[in-house]
Amino acid sequence: MATTAQDVRLIALSLPDSSEKPAWGMPTFRVGGKIFVALADDDTSIGVKCPKEDRAELIAAEPEKFFMRPGHDDNYAWIRVRLEALRDAAELRSILTDSWLQAAPKRLVAAHPELSGDAG
């Protein structure tokens, strides 16, 4: 079953100190005032934080899943993800958690080692 905009909302808001705030006519989800996911206006894709140096490899490996909007994403550490290409909600949770970890304040990340795999 394809992941949906509602899945994005539920998972994003389940992450610590996350909130939803509209921007540019779209729902965005924030932590510490920083956007970590933006839902496209047609609800078919999301934008998430991604280091610039990792984008080309992700797109080359799974072009049906990852893409960039030319001229818009070039200068930002973001990548787009097609929701219909995700395997399941667990994969969506992994992508959203990774983006949250990049945007969240260091003290908040440190308070939630279970999210970064540093638990134990």
Side-chain angles (χ1 to χ4, degrees), residues 37-108:
V37 61
L39 189 59
D41 55 6
D42 64 1
D43 289 352
T44 64
S45 66
I46 56 174
V48 293
K49 294 192 71 61
C50 178
K52 288 181 181 182
E53 60 272 14
D54 295 346
R55 297 185 303 192
E57 184 178 332
L58 286 168
I59 293 167
E62 298 184 89
E64 72 289 347
K65 187 179 297 180
F66 299 106
F67 68 103
M68 287 177 43
R69 199 166 72 190
H72 186 270
D73 299 329
D74 301 340
N75 298 317
Y76 302 99
W78 282 82
I79 195 166
R80 309 281 170 150
V81 183
R82 290 180 184 90
L83 295 177
E84 68 180 16
L86 297 175
R87 289 184 299 275
D88 53 27
E91 184 178 21
L92 176 61
R93 178 173 291 282
S94 177
I95 289 168
L96 294 181
T97 299
D98 186 58
S99 186
W100 181 93
L101 288 165
Q102 293 176 65
K106 287 182 175 43
R107 63 159 177 76
L108 188 57

Short mmCIF file of all heavy atoms in Angstrom, two decimals, residues 37-108:
data_model
loop_
_atom_site.label_atom_id
_atom_site.label_comp_id
_atom_site.label_asym_id
_atom_site.label_seq_id
_atom_site.Cartn_x
_atom_site.Cartn_y
_atom_site.Cartn_z
N VAL A 37 10.53 18.68 6.81
CA VAL A 37 9.80 18.07 5.70
C VAL A 37 8.72 19.04 5.22
O VAL A 37 8.11 19.74 6.01
CB VAL A 37 9.18 16.69 6.08
CG1 VAL A 37 8.19 16.82 7.20
CG2 VAL A 37 8.52 16.02 4.89
N ALA A 38 8.56 19.08 3.90
CA ALA A 38 7.50 19.87 3.28
C ALA A 38 6.73 18.95 2.35
O ALA A 38 7.33 18.22 1.55
CB ALA A 38 8.10 21.04 2.49
N LEU A 39 5.44 18.99 2.46
CA LEU A 39 4.56 18.18 1.63
C LEU A 39 4.22 18.97 0.38
O LEU A 39 3.84 20.14 0.47
CB LEU A 39 3.30 17.84 2.43
CG LEU A 39 2.33 16.84 1.86
CD1 LEU A 39 2.98 15.49 1.63
CD2 LEU A 39 1.14 16.69 2.80
N ALA A 40 4.40 18.35 -0.78
CA ALA A 40 4.08 19.04 -2.04
C ALA A 40 2.60 19.37 -2.09
O ALA A 40 1.77 18.69 -1.48
CB ALA A 40 4.47 18.16 -3.22
N ASP A 41 2.27 20.40 -2.85
CA ASP A 41 0.87 20.85 -2.89
C ASP A 41 -0.06 19.82 -3.51
O ASP A 41 -1.27 19.88 -3.31
CB ASP A 41 0.74 22.20 -3.59
CG ASP A 41 1.34 22.23 -4.97
OD1 ASP A 41 1.79 21.19 -5.48
OD2 ASP A 41 1.37 23.32 -5.56
N ASP A 42 0.47 18.82 -4.23
CA ASP A 42 -0.39 17.78 -4.79
C ASP A 42 -0.38 16.51 -3.95
O ASP A 42 -0.95 15.48 -4.35
CB ASP A 42 -0.01 17.48 -6.24
CG ASP A 42 1.39 16.90 -6.37
OD1 ASP A 42 2.08 16.70 -5.34
OD2 ASP A 42 1.81 16.64 -7.51
N ASP A 43 0.28 16.54 -2.80
CA ASP A 43 0.34 15.42 -1.85
C ASP A 43 1.00 14.16 -2.40
O ASP A 43 0.85 13.08 -1.83
CB ASP A 43 -1.05 15.05 -1.32
CG ASP A 43 -1.63 16.07 -0.38
OD1 ASP A 43 -0.92 17.01 0.02
OD2 ASP A 43 -2.81 15.93 -0.02
N THR A 44 1.76 14.26 -3.49
CA THR A 44 2.38 13.06 -4.06
C THR A 44 3.86 12.93 -3.72
O THR A 44 4.45 11.88 -3.93
CB THR A 44 2.25 13.02 -5.60
OG1 THR A 44 2.96 14.13 -6.15
CG2 THR A 44 0.79 13.04 -6.02
N SER A 45 4.46 14.00 -3.20
CA SER A 45 5.88 13.94 -2.86
C SER A 45 6.16 14.84 -1.67
O SER A 45 5.33 15.66 -1.28
CB SER A 45 6.75 14.36 -4.06
OG SER A 45 6.53 15.72 -4.38
N ILE A 46 7.35 14.64 -1.11
CA ILE A 46 7.80 15.46 0.00
C ILE A 46 9.21 15.95 -0.30
O ILE A 46 9.94 15.34 -1.08
CB ILE A 46 7.80 14.69 1.34
CG1 ILE A 46 8.64 13.40 1.25
CG2 ILE A 46 6.38 14.41 1.80
CD1 ILE A 46 8.81 12.65 2.56
N GLY A 47 9.57 17.03 0.33
CA GLY A 47 10.94 17.50 0.33
C GLY A 47 11.50 17.26 1.72
O GLY A 47 10.81 17.53 2.71
N VAL A 48 12.73 16.73 1.79
CA VAL A 48 13.37 16.47 3.07
C VAL A 48 14.81 16.95 3.02
O VAL A 48 15.41 17.05 1.94
CB VAL A 48 13.33 14.97 3.45
CG1 VAL A 48 11.90 14.51 3.72
CG2 VAL A 48 13.99 14.11 2.39
N LYS A 49 15.37 17.18 4.19
CA LYS A 49 16.77 17.58 4.27
C LYS A 49 17.65 16.42 3.82
O LYS A 49 17.37 15.27 4.14
CB LYS A 49 17.13 18.01 5.69
CG LYS A 49 16.39 19.28 6.10
CD LYS A 49 16.91 19.90 7.35
CE LYS A 49 18.24 20.55 7.22
NZ LYS A 49 18.36 21.66 6.28
N CYS A 50 18.68 16.74 3.07
CA CYS A 50 19.62 15.73 2.58
C CYS A 50 20.93 16.45 2.25
O CYS A 50 20.91 17.44 1.51
CB CYS A 50 19.07 15.05 1.33
SG CYS A 50 20.17 13.82 0.62
N PRO A 51 22.04 15.98 2.79
CA PRO A 51 23.31 16.63 2.45
C PRO A 51 23.51 16.67 0.93
O PRO A 51 23.25 15.69 0.23
CB PRO A 51 24.36 15.74 3.13
CG PRO A 51 23.61 15.06 4.24
CD PRO A 51 22.22 14.86 3.71
N LYS A 52 23.97 17.81 0.44
CA LYS A 52 24.15 17.98 -1.00
C LYS A 52 25.02 16.87 -1.60
O LYS A 52 24.76 16.39 -2.70
CB LYS A 52 24.79 19.33 -1.31
CG LYS A 52 23.88 20.50 -1.11
CD LYS A 52 24.60 21.79 -1.46
CE LYS A 52 23.74 23.00 -1.25
NZ LYS A 52 24.42 24.23 -1.63
N GLU A 53 26.04 16.45 -0.85
CA GLU A 53 26.97 15.44 -1.38
C GLU A 53 26.33 14.05 -1.50
O GLU A 53 26.87 13.19 -2.18
CB GLU A 53 28.25 15.38 -0.54
CG GLU A 53 28.04 15.02 0.91
CD GLU A 53 27.77 16.22 1.81
OE1 GLU A 53 27.49 17.34 1.33
OE2 GLU A 53 27.83 16.02 3.05
N ASP A 54 25.18 13.83 -0.89
CA ASP A 54 24.52 12.52 -0.94
C ASP A 54 23.43 12.44 -2.01
O ASP A 54 22.99 11.34 -2.37
CB ASP A 54 23.89 12.19 0.41
CG ASP A 54 24.91 12.01 1.52
OD1 ASP A 54 26.11 11.87 1.22
OD2 ASP A 54 24.49 12.02 2.70
N ARG A 55 23.00 13.57 -2.52
CA ARG A 55 21.83 13.57 -3.41
C ARG A 55 22.04 12.81 -4.70
O ARG A 55 21.18 12.01 -5.08
CB ARG A 55 21.40 15.01 -3.71
CG ARG A 55 20.98 15.76 -2.47
CD ARG A 55 20.46 17.12 -2.78
NE ARG A 55 21.42 17.94 -3.51
CZ ARG A 55 21.30 19.24 -3.70
NH1 ARG A 55 20.24 19.88 -3.23
NH2 ARG A 55 22.20 19.91 -4.37
N ALA A 56 23.14 13.05 -5.40
CA ALA A 56 23.35 12.41 -6.70
C ALA A 56 23.36 10.89 -6.57
O ALA A 56 22.79 10.20 -7.42
CB ALA A 56 24.66 12.91 -7.32
N GLU A 57 23.98 10.38 -5.51
CA GLU A 57 24.04 8.93 -5.32
C GLU A 57 22.64 8.36 -5.07
O GLU A 57 22.28 7.31 -5.62
CB GLU A 57 24.95 8.61 -4.14
CG GLU A 57 25.16 7.14 -3.91
CD GLU A 57 26.12 6.85 -2.77
OE1 GLU A 57 27.00 7.68 -2.49
OE2 GLU A 57 25.98 5.78 -2.16
N LEU A 58 21.85 9.03 -4.26
CA LEU A 58 20.49 8.56 -3.99
C LEU A 58 19.64 8.56 -5.26
O LEU A 58 18.93 7.60 -5.54
CB LEU A 58 19.82 9.44 -2.92
CG LEU A 58 20.30 9.24 -1.50
CD1 LEU A 58 19.77 10.35 -0.60
CD2 LEU A 58 19.88 7.88 -0.97
N ILE A 59 19.73 9.64 -6.02
CA ILE A 59 18.95 9.75 -7.26
C ILE A 59 19.40 8.69 -8.27
O ILE A 59 18.57 8.06 -8.92
CB ILE A 59 19.03 11.17 -7.84
CG1 ILE A 59 18.32 12.15 -6.90
CG2 ILE A 59 18.44 11.22 -9.24
CD1 ILE A 59 18.58 13.61 -7.19
N ALA A 60 20.70 8.47 -8.38
CA ALA A 60 21.22 7.47 -9.32
C ALA A 60 20.78 6.07 -8.91
O ALA A 60 20.45 5.24 -9.77
CB ALA A 60 22.74 7.55 -9.39
N ALA A 61 20.76 5.79 -7.62
CA ALA A 61 20.40 4.46 -7.14
C ALA A 61 18.91 4.18 -7.26
O ALA A 61 18.50 3.05 -7.56
CB ALA A 61 20.84 4.30 -5.69
N GLU A 62 18.08 5.19 -7.01
CA GLU A 62 16.62 5.00 -7.03
C GLU A 62 15.92 6.21 -7.64
O GLU A 62 15.23 6.96 -6.95
CB GLU A 62 16.11 4.75 -5.60
CG GLU A 62 16.68 3.50 -4.96
CD GLU A 62 16.09 3.26 -3.59
OE1 GLU A 62 15.04 2.58 -3.53
OE2 GLU A 62 16.66 3.75 -2.60
N PRO A 63 16.07 6.40 -8.97
CA PRO A 63 15.48 7.58 -9.62
C PRO A 63 13.96 7.61 -9.58
O PRO A 63 13.36 8.68 -9.69
CB PRO A 63 16.00 7.50 -11.06
CG PRO A 63 16.32 6.05 -11.26
CD PRO A 63 16.77 5.54 -9.92
N GLU A 64 13.32 6.46 -9.40
CA GLU A 64 11.87 6.44 -9.30
C GLU A 64 11.40 6.97 -7.94
O GLU A 64 10.24 7.35 -7.79
CB GLU A 64 11.33 5.02 -9.52
CG GLU A 64 11.59 4.03 -8.38
CD GLU A 64 13.05 3.58 -8.23
OE1 GLU A 64 13.88 3.81 -9.13
OE2 GLU A 64 13.36 3.00 -7.18
N LYS A 65 12.31 7.01 -6.98
CA LYS A 65 11.97 7.43 -5.62
C LYS A 65 12.46 8.84 -5.32
O LYS A 65 11.73 9.66 -4.78
CB LYS A 65 12.59 6.45 -4.62
CG LYS A 65 12.18 6.68 -3.19
CD LYS A 65 12.83 5.64 -2.27
CE LYS A 65 12.36 4.26 -2.63
NZ LYS A 65 12.94 3.21 -1.78
N PHE A 66 13.71 9.14 -5.65
CA PHE A 66 14.33 10.41 -5.30
C PHE A 66 14.53 11.29 -6.52
O PHE A 66 14.88 10.81 -7.59
CB PHE A 66 15.69 10.17 -4.64
CG PHE A 66 15.61 9.37 -3.36
CD1 PHE A 66 16.02 8.05 -3.33
CD2 PHE A 66 15.11 9.94 -2.20
CE1 PHE A 66 15.96 7.31 -2.16
CE2 PHE A 66 15.04 9.21 -1.02
CZ PHE A 66 15.46 7.89 -1.00
N PHE A 67 14.32 12.60 -6.35
CA PHE A 67 14.53 13.54 -7.46
C PHE A 67 14.77 14.92 -6.89
O PHE A 67 14.58 15.16 -5.70
CB PHE A 67 13.35 13.52 -8.43
CG PHE A 67 12.06 14.07 -7.87
CD1 PHE A 67 11.61 15.34 -8.21
CD2 PHE A 67 11.27 13.31 -7.01
CE1 PHE A 67 10.43 15.84 -7.71
CE2 PHE A 67 10.07 13.81 -6.50
CZ PHE A 67 9.65 15.07 -6.86
N MET A 68 15.18 15.81 -7.76
CA MET A 68 15.33 17.22 -7.41
C MET A 68 14.52 18.04 -8.40
O MET A 68 14.35 17.64 -9.55
CB MET A 68 16.80 17.65 -7.47
CG MET A 68 17.61 17.10 -6.33
SD MET A 68 19.38 17.49 -6.41
CE MET A 68 19.40 19.19 -6.90
N ARG A 69 14.04 19.16 -7.94
CA ARG A 69 13.35 20.10 -8.83
C ARG A 69 14.41 21.07 -9.33
O ARG A 69 14.87 21.91 -8.57
CB ARG A 69 12.22 20.80 -8.08
CG ARG A 69 11.21 21.42 -9.01
CD ARG A 69 9.97 21.82 -8.29
NE ARG A 69 10.25 22.99 -7.47
CZ ARG A 69 9.43 23.48 -6.56
NH1 ARG A 69 8.28 22.90 -6.32
NH2 ARG A 69 9.74 24.56 -5.88
N PRO A 70 14.82 20.94 -10.60
CA PRO A 70 15.89 21.78 -11.13
C PRO A 70 15.59 23.27 -10.95
O PRO A 70 14.46 23.71 -11.12
CB PRO A 70 15.94 21.41 -12.62
CG PRO A 70 15.32 20.06 -12.69
CD PRO A 70 14.29 20.02 -11.60
N GLY A 71 16.63 24.00 -10.57
CA GLY A 71 16.51 25.42 -10.38
C GLY A 71 15.97 25.81 -9.02
O GLY A 71 16.08 26.95 -8.61
N HIS A 72 15.38 24.87 -8.32
CA HIS A 72 14.84 25.18 -7.00
C HIS A 72 15.65 24.53 -5.90
O HIS A 72 15.96 25.15 -4.90
CB HIS A 72 13.38 24.74 -6.92
CG HIS A 72 12.73 25.15 -5.63
ND1 HIS A 72 12.72 24.36 -4.51
CD2 HIS A 72 12.08 26.29 -5.28
CE1 HIS A 72 12.11 24.98 -3.53
NE2 HIS A 72 11.70 26.15 -3.97
N ASP A 73 15.99 23.26 -6.06
CA ASP A 73 16.68 22.51 -5.01
C ASP A 73 18.20 22.58 -5.12
O ASP A 73 18.90 22.17 -4.19
CB ASP A 73 16.27 21.03 -5.06
CG ASP A 73 14.78 20.84 -4.82
OD1 ASP A 73 14.19 21.65 -4.07
OD2 ASP A 73 14.21 19.88 -5.36
N ASP A 74 18.71 23.11 -6.21
CA ASP A 74 20.16 23.08 -6.47
C ASP A 74 20.99 23.67 -5.34
O ASP A 74 22.04 23.14 -5.01
CB ASP A 74 20.48 23.85 -7.76
CG ASP A 74 19.78 23.27 -8.97
OD1 ASP A 74 19.36 22.10 -8.92
OD2 ASP A 74 19.64 24.00 -9.96
N ASN A 75 20.54 24.75 -4.76
CA ASN A 75 21.34 25.46 -3.77
C ASN A 75 21.03 25.10 -2.32
O ASN A 75 21.58 25.68 -1.41
CB ASN A 75 21.17 26.97 -3.95
CG ASN A 75 21.66 27.41 -5.31
OD1 ASN A 75 22.70 26.99 -5.76
ND2 ASN A 75 20.88 28.26 -5.96
N TYR A 76 20.15 24.14 -2.13
CA TYR A 76 19.73 23.79 -0.78
C TYR A 76 20.02 22.32 -0.50
O TYR A 76 20.05 21.50 -1.42
CB TYR A 76 18.23 24.06 -0.59
CG TYR A 76 17.90 25.50 -0.84
CD1 TYR A 76 17.37 25.91 -2.07
CD2 TYR A 76 18.14 26.47 0.12
CE1 TYR A 76 17.08 27.24 -2.31
CE2 TYR A 76 17.85 27.81 -0.12
CZ TYR A 76 17.33 28.18 -1.33
OH TYR A 76 17.05 29.50 -1.57
N ALA A 77 20.19 21.98 0.76
CA ALA A 77 20.46 20.59 1.15
C ALA A 77 19.13 19.85 1.31
O ALA A 77 18.72 19.46 2.40
CB ALA A 77 21.27 20.57 2.44
N TRP A 78 18.42 19.70 0.17
CA TRP A 78 17.11 19.07 0.13
C TRP A 78 17.05 18.09 -1.03
O TRP A 78 17.73 18.26 -2.04
CB TRP A 78 16.01 20.12 -0.06
CG TRP A 78 15.70 20.85 1.20
CD1 TRP A 78 16.40 21.91 1.71
CD2 TRP A 78 14.67 20.59 2.12
NE1 TRP A 78 15.84 22.31 2.89
CE2 TRP A 78 14.78 21.51 3.18
CE3 TRP A 78 13.64 19.64 2.17
CZ2 TRP A 78 13.91 21.53 4.26
CZ3 TRP A 78 12.78 19.66 3.25
CH2 TRP A 78 12.91 20.60 4.28
N ILE A 79 16.18 17.10 -0.88
CA ILE A 79 15.88 16.17 -1.95
C ILE A 79 14.39 15.90 -1.90
O ILE A 79 13.75 16.05 -0.86
CB ILE A 79 16.71 14.86 -1.81
CG1 ILE A 79 16.68 14.05 -3.10
CG2 ILE A 79 16.25 14.04 -0.60
CD1 ILE A 79 17.74 12.93 -3.14
N ARG A 80 13.81 15.52 -3.03
CA ARG A 80 12.38 15.20 -3.10
C ARG A 80 12.22 13.68 -3.10
O ARG A 80 13.05 12.95 -3.63
CB ARG A 80 11.77 15.75 -4.39
CG ARG A 80 12.06 17.21 -4.65
CD ARG A 80 11.18 18.09 -3.84
NE ARG A 80 11.65 19.46 -3.93
CZ ARG A 80 10.86 20.50 -3.83
NH1 ARG A 80 9.57 20.34 -3.63
NH2 ARG A 80 11.35 21.71 -3.88
N VAL A 81 11.10 13.24 -2.53
CA VAL A 81 10.79 11.81 -2.43
C VAL A 81 9.37 11.59 -2.91
O VAL A 81 8.43 12.23 -2.43
CB VAL A 81 10.91 11.32 -0.96
CG1 VAL A 81 10.67 9.82 -0.88
CG2 VAL A 81 12.26 11.69 -0.36
N ARG A 82 9.21 10.67 -3.88
CA ARG A 82 7.87 10.32 -4.36
C ARG A 82 7.24 9.32 -3.38
O ARG A 82 7.78 8.23 -3.17
CB ARG A 82 7.95 9.70 -5.75
CG ARG A 82 8.34 10.67 -6.82
CD ARG A 82 8.41 9.99 -8.21
NE ARG A 82 8.88 10.93 -9.19
CZ ARG A 82 10.17 11.11 -9.50
NH1 ARG A 82 11.11 10.41 -8.90
NH2 ARG A 82 10.52 12.00 -10.43
N LEU A 83 6.12 9.70 -2.79
CA LEU A 83 5.48 8.86 -1.79
C LEU A 83 5.08 7.50 -2.34
O LEU A 83 5.22 6.48 -1.66
CB LEU A 83 4.27 9.57 -1.18
CG LEU A 83 4.59 10.83 -0.37
CD1 LEU A 83 3.30 11.49 0.10
CD2 LEU A 83 5.50 10.51 0.79
N GLU A 84 4.60 7.44 -3.58
CA GLU A 84 4.15 6.16 -4.14
C GLU A 84 5.29 5.18 -4.34
O GLU A 84 5.06 3.97 -4.44
CB GLU A 84 3.41 6.38 -5.46
CG GLU A 84 4.32 6.86 -6.58
CD GLU A 84 3.59 7.09 -7.90
OE1 GLU A 84 2.36 7.17 -7.88
OE2 GLU A 84 4.27 7.17 -8.92
N ALA A 85 6.54 5.66 -4.36
CA ALA A 85 7.68 4.78 -4.58
C ALA A 85 8.23 4.17 -3.29
O ALA A 85 9.06 3.27 -3.34
CB ALA A 85 8.80 5.55 -5.29
N LEU A 86 7.74 4.64 -2.15
CA LEU A 86 8.22 4.10 -0.88
C LEU A 86 7.64 2.72 -0.63
O LEU A 86 6.49 2.45 -0.97
CB LEU A 86 7.87 5.04 0.27
CG LEU A 86 8.53 6.42 0.20
CD1 LEU A 86 8.02 7.31 1.32
CD2 LEU A 86 10.03 6.31 0.25
N ARG A 87 8.43 1.85 -0.03
CA ARG A 87 7.98 0.48 0.24
C ARG A 87 6.84 0.44 1.25
O ARG A 87 5.89 -0.31 1.08
CB ARG A 87 9.14 -0.37 0.76
CG ARG A 87 10.18 -0.71 -0.29
CD ARG A 87 11.25 -1.63 0.26
NE ARG A 87 12.00 -1.04 1.37
CZ ARG A 87 13.05 -0.23 1.24
NH1 ARG A 87 13.47 0.08 0.05
NH2 ARG A 87 13.68 0.23 2.30
N ASP A 88 7.00 1.22 2.33
CA ASP A 88 6.02 1.17 3.41
C ASP A 88 6.23 2.34 4.36
O ASP A 88 7.13 3.16 4.18
CB ASP A 88 6.11 -0.17 4.15
CG ASP A 88 7.52 -0.49 4.64
OD1 ASP A 88 8.32 0.43 4.88
OD2 ASP A 88 7.83 -1.69 4.77
N ALA A 89 5.41 2.37 5.41
CA ALA A 89 5.50 3.44 6.40
C ALA A 89 6.82 3.40 7.15
O ALA A 89 7.31 4.45 7.59
CB ALA A 89 4.33 3.37 7.36
N ALA A 90 7.41 2.23 7.30
CA ALA A 90 8.71 2.13 7.99
C ALA A 90 9.80 2.86 7.21
O ALA A 90 10.64 3.54 7.80
CB ALA A 90 9.09 0.67 8.21
N GLU A 91 9.78 2.74 5.89
CA GLU A 91 10.76 3.46 5.07
C GLU A 91 10.51 4.97 5.17
O GLU A 91 11.45 5.75 5.30
CB GLU A 91 10.71 3.01 3.62
CG GLU A 91 11.79 3.67 2.79
CD GLU A 91 11.81 3.23 1.34
OE1 GLU A 91 10.80 2.72 0.82
OE2 GLU A 91 12.87 3.40 0.70
N LEU A 92 9.26 5.38 5.14
CA LEU A 92 8.92 6.80 5.30
C LEU A 92 9.41 7.30 6.65
O LEU A 92 10.03 8.36 6.74
CB LEU A 92 7.42 7.01 5.16
CG LEU A 92 6.92 8.44 5.41
CD1 LEU A 92 7.53 9.42 4.42
CD2 LEU A 92 5.40 8.47 5.35
N ARG A 93 9.17 6.53 7.72
CA ARG A 93 9.62 6.92 9.06
C ARG A 93 11.13 7.10 9.08
O ARG A 93 11.65 8.07 9.65
CB ARG A 93 9.20 5.89 10.11
CG ARG A 93 9.71 6.26 11.50
CD ARG A 93 9.16 5.35 12.58
NE ARG A 93 7.74 5.56 12.80
CZ ARG A 93 7.23 6.58 13.50
NH1 ARG A 93 8.01 7.49 14.03
NH2 ARG A 93 5.93 6.68 13.66
N SER A 94 11.87 6.21 8.44
CA SER A 94 13.32 6.30 8.40
C SER A 94 13.77 7.59 7.71
O SER A 94 14.67 8.29 8.20
CB SER A 94 13.90 5.08 7.68
OG SER A 94 15.29 5.18 7.57
N ILE A 95 13.16 7.92 6.58
CA ILE A 95 13.51 9.13 5.83
C ILE A 95 13.17 10.38 6.65
O ILE A 95 13.97 11.31 6.74
CB ILE A 95 12.79 9.14 4.46
CG1 ILE A 95 13.41 8.07 3.55
CG2 ILE A 95 12.85 10.52 3.81
CD1 ILE A 95 12.62 7.78 2.29
N LEU A 96 12.00 10.41 7.26
CA LEU A 96 11.59 11.57 8.04
C LEU A 96 12.46 11.73 9.29
O LEU A 96 12.82 12.85 9.66
CB LEU A 96 10.12 11.48 8.42
CG LEU A 96 9.12 11.55 7.28
CD1 LEU A 96 7.69 11.47 7.80
CD2 LEU A 96 9.32 12.78 6.42
N THR A 97 12.81 10.62 9.92
CA THR A 97 13.67 10.68 11.10
C THR A 97 15.05 11.21 10.73
O THR A 97 15.61 12.07 11.44
CB THR A 97 13.78 9.30 11.77
OG1 THR A 97 12.48 8.87 12.17
CG2 THR A 97 14.70 9.34 12.98
N ASP A 98 15.59 10.76 9.61
CA ASP A 98 16.90 11.25 9.17
C ASP A 98 16.85 12.76 8.92
O ASP A 98 17.75 13.49 9.32
CB ASP A 98 17.33 10.51 7.91
CG ASP A 98 18.73 10.87 7.50
OD1 ASP A 98 19.67 10.70 8.31
OD2 ASP A 98 18.91 11.35 6.36
N SER A 99 15.79 13.23 8.30
CA SER A 99 15.65 14.66 8.04
C SER A 99 15.49 15.43 9.36
O SER A 99 16.09 16.49 9.54
CB SER A 99 14.45 14.91 7.12
OG SER A 99 14.38 16.25 6.74
N TRP A 100 14.70 14.87 10.28
CA TRP A 100 14.52 15.49 11.60
C TRP A 100 15.86 15.63 12.31
O TRP A 100 16.16 16.68 12.88
CB TRP A 100 13.54 14.65 12.42
CG TRP A 100 13.25 15.18 13.78
CD1 TRP A 100 12.22 16.01 14.13
CD2 TRP A 100 13.97 14.93 15.00
NE1 TRP A 100 12.27 16.27 15.48
CE2 TRP A 100 13.34 15.63 16.03
CE3 TRP A 100 15.10 14.18 15.30
CZ2 TRP A 100 13.78 15.60 17.34
CZ3 TRP A 100 15.56 14.15 16.61
CH2 TRP A 100 14.90 14.85 17.61
N LEU A 101 16.69 14.59 12.25
CA LEU A 101 18.00 14.61 12.91
C LEU A 101 18.89 15.71 12.35
O LEU A 101 19.69 16.31 13.08
CB LEU A 101 18.70 13.26 12.76
CG LEU A 101 18.11 12.12 13.61
CD1 LEU A 101 18.62 10.77 13.13
CD2 LEU A 101 18.41 12.34 15.09
N GLN A 102 18.76 16.02 11.06
CA GLN A 102 19.57 17.07 10.45
C GLN A 102 19.09 18.47 10.84
O GLN A 102 19.88 19.41 10.87
CB GLN A 102 19.55 16.92 8.93
CG GLN A 102 20.25 15.66 8.45
CD GLN A 102 20.11 15.51 6.95
OE1 GLN A 102 20.62 16.33 6.21
NE2 GLN A 102 19.40 14.48 6.54
N ALA A 103 17.80 18.60 11.13
CA ALA A 103 17.24 19.92 11.43
C ALA A 103 17.15 20.22 12.92
O ALA A 103 17.20 21.39 13.31
CB ALA A 103 15.83 20.02 10.82
N ALA A 104 17.04 19.21 13.74
CA ALA A 104 16.80 19.40 15.17
C ALA A 104 18.01 20.01 15.87
O ALA A 104 19.16 19.73 15.49
CB ALA A 104 16.45 18.07 15.82
N PRO A 105 17.76 20.80 16.90
CA PRO A 105 18.88 21.32 17.70
C PRO A 105 19.67 20.16 18.32
O PRO A 105 19.09 19.13 18.67
CB PRO A 105 18.18 22.14 18.79
CG PRO A 105 16.81 22.42 18.27
CD PRO A 105 16.46 21.27 17.36
N LYS A 106 20.97 20.36 18.46
CA LYS A 106 21.85 19.30 18.98
C LYS A 106 21.38 18.77 20.34
O LYS A 106 21.44 17.58 20.60
CB LYS A 106 23.28 19.80 19.07
CG LYS A 106 23.96 19.95 17.72
CD LYS A 106 25.40 20.41 17.92
CE LYS A 106 26.21 20.47 16.66
NZ LYS A 106 25.66 21.01 15.49
N ARG A 107 20.91 19.66 21.21
CA ARG A 107 20.47 19.23 22.53
C ARG A 107 19.26 18.30 22.43
O ARG A 107 19.13 17.36 23.21
CB ARG A 107 20.13 20.43 23.42
CG ARG A 107 18.99 21.25 22.86
CD ARG A 107 18.26 22.13 23.85
NE ARG A 107 17.24 22.88 23.16
CZ ARG A 107 16.07 22.37 22.75
NH1 ARG A 107 15.78 21.13 22.96
NH2 ARG A 107 15.20 23.13 22.10
N LEU A 108 18.38 18.54 21.46
CA LEU A 108 17.21 17.69 21.28
C LEU A 108 17.62 16.33 20.71
O LEU A 108 17.12 15.30 21.14
CB LEU A 108 16.20 18.39 20.38
CG LEU A 108 14.83 17.73 20.24
CD1 LEU A 108 14.15 17.55 21.60
CD2 LEU A 108 13.94 18.56 19.32
#
